[in-house]
Structures are given as C-alpha cells and as structure tokens.
Amino acid sequence: MIDRSADPIWDIPGSIFFALTVVTTIGYGHLSPGTSGGQLFCCAYALFGIPLCLLVLFRIGKKLSEIAEKLEVRIFGRGGGGQSGVRRYLRSAVVFSLGVIVFLVVPSAVFRRLEGWSYGSALYFSVVSLSTIGFGDLVAGISYAGSYGALYRIMATVWLFLGLSWLSVVINCAQDSLQTMVRHFNEKPPLSGVKRKIGGQREEEADLNDSRKVKDADNNIEKRPDDE
C-alpha cells in the first residue's frame, strides 16, 4: 500500500511517469499538482495529450499488426478461404500469449523482487495498470529504496507504454478475427433461406402435379363421348 503522507517524488523520472499516467488515463493518484498553475496546466495537457496518446497507440498497434501479418505470410505463405481465417485466429492467439508472458508474467516477477510484494499483488498491479484502471493502491517505484530508483521508474514508464501498445495490437488482431468471422458467416446462405428455397421448389412441384392431373382429367372427359 502507498504511504500517502510521504513526500511525492517530483524528480525527472517521477515527472515523466506522472505525465504518462495522465495521457494514458491510468491516473494512479500517487502524484498530483499542488498549485493552481500546475492544475491548470495539467488540465490543458490532459485535454490535448489524451487524444494524441490514443492516436499514437492506435497507430503503433496498427503498424505492429501489419508486421505480424507480413511475418505470417513469410512463414506460412499466402492462403485463402478457411485457411486464412484459421491463421488469423492463430496469429491473435500467439500475439496474446506472448504479450501475457512479456508484459504481465515477467514484469510481475520483477515487481515482486524489487517492491517486496507477493506475486499475486504484483500481477494485480500489472493488470490494473495496463488496463488503465489505475486504482493507485499499488504503484511501482514509490517504496523502492534501491540505488537505481530513477532508472527503475524510467523502465516502469517504458513498460507501461509498450504494454499499452501490445494491448492495441491485441485489439487490432481481435478486430480482424471478428471481421473474418462475420465475413465467413455472411458468405454462407442462412438455413432459413435454404428452407424457404426447398419449400418453394416443393410448392412448384406440387402445382405442376396438380396441373397435370387437371389436364389428364380434361382429356378423359373429352374421350368419353367418342367411346360411346
């Protein structure tokens, strides 16, 4: 837990970390402007910085998705139809699994080691941070008393930015997979349409049989006087 009575760390790494938590909307609450000028500047910075940060993360995620798609084509070659859809799902699963290891499992072990948290608490902090929930009950770099505190906070800032970029890639891959799924279902005729088509064919056959029966009956009627 954070000691709220402790003096905030407003050095350069701590300020960069705070700036990133503002534009990413994480907002731990461990640092906040204490003057009117600082608060006004923070408002202006957030209004302009948040949309730009979201745009940058989206572009990074899109670019990384294109790189992953090119690697997929280079490794497996080009494919079409159902094979392409299966490969999209596989690519999404690989990106998600690797990201969980790189941005959640491994960093949580580092936080556990340096912060003295349990692994569950460290994993909780990682998920809460990268999901931009940012409760603020746990924040990396606040209670760390090592010799490389500034470097540690900078690395935590880099981890946050790269982790959010990974989430953007995951969202892009999930979007592509959903589009492929929807396209695949739209290409198949709906079952109700097939039933209607079959039913229409049966009705046409029944009408044709009825018309033949009527015609045969008329022919029989015409033949009876001749027979007499």
Side-chain angles (χ1 to χ4, degrees):
M1 300 294 290
I2 297 176
D3 183 8
R4 302 289 180 179
S5 63
D7 294 332
I9 306 175
W10 280 110
D11 55 3
I12 296 298
S15 300
I16 295 174
F17 188 74
F18 167 76
L20 183 67
T21 60
V22 172
V23 295
T24 56
T25 69
I26 296 175
Y28 290 119
H30 68 296
L31 289 176
S32 59
T35 63
S36 298
Q39 292 168 354
L40 290 175
F41 176 78
C42 185
C43 291
Y45 171 69
L47 289 175
F48 287 97
I50 291 174
L52 289 177
C53 181
L54 294 177
L55 179 61
V56 169
L57 291 174
F58 174 78
R59 294 301 300 173
I60 291 176
K62 197 72 175 176
K63 193 65 178 179
L64 292 177
S65 296
E66 293 174 358
I67 294 174
E69 187 172 357
K70 290 179 180 178
L71 289 175
E72 171 197 334
V73 172
R74 178 169 296 184
I75 294 173
F76 299 104
R78 294 188 178 275
Q83 183 181 3
S84 177
V86 171
R87 283 185 358 200
R88 284 182 182 271
Y89 302 142
L90 180 61
R91 185 184 68 195
S92 300
V94 170
V95 170
F96 179 77
S97 301
L98 289 177
V100 167
I101 295 173
V102 174
F103 295 108
L104 292 177
V105 176
V106 174
S108 297
V110 175
F111 293 138
R112 175 184 177 278
R113 174 77 174 179
L114 298 179
E115 297 287 346
W117 301 333
S118 65
Y119 188 82
S121 296
L123 183 61
Y124 160 80
F125 165 74
S126 299
V127 173
V128 166
S129 298
L130 294 185
S131 60
T132 70
I133 297 173
F135 289 123
D137 51 346
L138 295 174
V139 180
I142 300 300
S143 58
Y144 177 69
S147 304
Y148 301 98
L151 178 61
Y152 175 47
R153 288 191 292 276
I154 290 176
M155 294 304 296
T157 304
V158 173
W159 163 74
L160 274 178
F161 190 79
L162 293 179
L164 292 172
S165 300
W166 162 68
L167 278 182
S168 181
V169 175
V170 171
I171 292 172
N172 276 292
C173 290
Q175 183 179 2
D176 291 341
S177 299
L178 288 175
Q179 289 176 351
T180 302
M181 185 184 301
V182 171
R183 194 181 305 115
H184 178 69
F185 281 115
N186 287 337
E187 289 175 354
K188 290 184 176 181
L191 185 60
S192 59
V194 175
K195 289 182 177 179
R196 285 197 298 269
K197 187 175 180 180
I198 295 174
Q201 291 177 350
R202 289 178 177 175
E203 290 178 358
E204 291 177 358
E205 292 176 356
D207 293 339
L208 183 60
N209 292 331
D210 292 340
S211 63
R212 287 177 178 174
K213 291 179 180 178
V214 171
K215 189 175 180 180
D216 292 340
D218 293 338
N219 292 332
N220 292 331
I221 294 174
E222 291 176 355
K223 290 180 180 178
R224 283 176 184 176
D226 297 339
D227 296 336
E228 294 175 356

